[in-house]
Amino acid sequence: MSDTRARWRIWTDLPGATISPNLYGHFAEHLGRCIYEGIWVGTDSRIPNQDGFRSDTLEALRALPTPVIRWPGGCFADEYHWEDGIGPRARRRRGRNIWWHAEDSNHFGTDEFLAFSRLVGAEPYISANVGSGSPAEALNWLDYCNGDGTTHYAELRRRNGQVAPYNVRYWGVGNECWGCGGNFTAEEYAGEYRRFATYMRGRDAAIQLVAVGGMGGRTYPADWNNRFLAALGVEKFPRLARLIDHLSIHRYFRGPSDRGFTDAQYYDLAVASLQIEEDLRLTRDVLSYYVGAHKRIGIVVDEWGTWYEQAKNDNGLEQKNTLQDAIIAAATLNVFNRWADWVTMANLAQTINVLQCVIQTAEEKLWLTPTYHAFKLVSAHAGNQLLHDELATPELEVTPADGSGRSTPLPLVSASASRAPDGRGLVLTLVNRHLTDTIECPIELRGEARPDGGIVDQLADTDVRAFNSAAEPDRISPTRREIAADGPELAVALPPHSVTALRLRLG
Ligand code: AHR
C-alpha cells in the first residue's frame, strides 16, 4: 500500500520554454500494415479513400492533430531509393524491403507521402539513405522536393504534378547508422555525416538536419553520442556546428506481453519507461560538452514507444494497445513537455497498426487506440509555455517481476503544466500509475491570475488490460466534465491507472 496523496504547486506567472507541437509527432515506416493498408489503399480500393489514402485514417489523424510525420523509415530508410517511388504508379519498379522481409510496390512514394502529410496537416520529416545511398542521391531528393528553379529534378517534380516546391524542412541523415543503417562506427558515421550534411546544407540553407544518435542498448554502443560528437569535430572547428541542428535518439520500452502482463510486469514497464528522462539528461550533457559553446542542438526522439514480445517480424510488429500503453504514452509526453527547452521533436513508433500506434485497422474497420486518446489529451499543451512547478508524489518500491536486481522507487504521479501564449488558459496533465489506488492531488496555483472554470478530460477504466478493437472500438475512451474552479486551490482525484487533463480558463 502506498501513500495515496500527492501535492502539486504551479507558478502561473513563471512561464518557461515553449512546448513545440512537434513533441506530439508520429513515425510511419514501410513496415507491415503501417503504410500499405493503414494509410494507402490505392484508388481502386473498396475502402473509402481520397486519391488512394484511406479517408478514415485522414480524418482520425487530422482530428488528433498530427503535427509532424517521419518517413520512410526506420531501417527501411537506408535501403530506400526514392527515384523508384515517383512518376506514374503503374510504371514504378517493385523493390525489396530487406529488413521487414517484404516487397514494396513503390506505390507510396515521395509525392504520396507529401500529399498525405498535407492532407492531415502534418509537417513532413524525411530520413535520407546513408547506409546504401550517396550524398548525390540525397541532394537530388532535396532538389526534387524543394527546388524552385528549372533543374532536372525540380522539373521532374512539376511533370509529376507538383508545381510549387514542397519545402520539406526536416531531413534525417540516415537512421540507426550504428545498426541497420550501415553498421558504421561512430567515427565512420561522423565522416559520412559531414559529407552528406555539407552538400545538403549547401543545397538548401533553410533545412533542419538531424544526425543519428544512440542511447546504448542490446545492439549498439552506449558511448555512440560521445564518440560521434567528438569525431564530428565541432570543438576544434566551430564552423562545423552549422552542419547539425538536432541529434536523434530512440527509446523502446520492452515488455513481455501486450495484454497478458502480470501486475508486477506492469510496474516493471512503468519503471523501464522512466529511462527516457535519463536518456535526455545524458544527451543534453554530451551536447552541451561538445557543441554547447557554439550552438544549441535540439534533441529529437524520433522513435519511441512500447514493444512487446507479440510484435514480431512475421506479424509486421503488431501488438495490442491497452490502457497500459496510454499511461506510458501520457507519462512520456509529460517528460517531453518538461524538457521543452531541449526536445524539439518526438515521433511515436509507429502511426498505424505497427508497435504502439494511435490507429489500428482491419479491412474497412478502423479504431483509435488508448494511446490515441492519451495523445489527444496531453497534446493540449502544444504551443503553450511550460510552467514552473513542484510536484510531491508518492512512490512505490518496485522489485523486478523476475526477482532479479534491486528495487526502484516509482513516482506514482507524472504531471506537466503549461499556459497559453495569450495567458488566458492553463493546461494541466496528470497520470496516476498506481494499479489500485485513487490518488488525491490538491493543486495550488500561485500567481495573479485565477481560474474561473474549465473542463476535465479523463481516460480511465477498471481494467488496465482493456483495449479497443473492431468489435469494441470505444471500450477505452475519455470522459469529459465541466469544473467550476474559482480559487487558487483545486481538488483533483486521480483514479487508478488513469490519465487526466484539465483545461482551465484564467479570469
Ligand atoms: O520501428 C521499428 C524499427 O525499430 C525501426 O525500423 C528501427 O529504426 C528501429 O530499430
Side-chain angles (χ1 to χ4, degrees), residues 265-296:
Q265 288 166 341
Y266 164 90
Y267 285 121
D268 271 358
L269 194 68
V271 166
S273 73
L274 303 177
Q275 179 63 38
I276 191 70
E277 193 138 22
E278 181 64 3
D279 294 344
L280 296 176
R281 240 178 256 127
L282 290 169
T283 310
R284 173 199 61 195
D285 290 351
V286 81
L287 282 171
S288 304
Y289 182 82
Y290 286 106
V291 199
H294 311 290
K295 187 176 180 180
R296 183 60 169 268

Side-chain angles (χ1 to χ4, degrees), residues 27 29 31 74-75 100 175-176 252 303 307 317 350 355:
F27 162 45
E29 178 169 13
L31 196 176
C75 291
W100 308 116
N175 168 75
E176 297 192 351
Y252 287 101
E303 288 185 30
W307 190 325
L317 301 190
Q350 302 193 4
L355 295 173

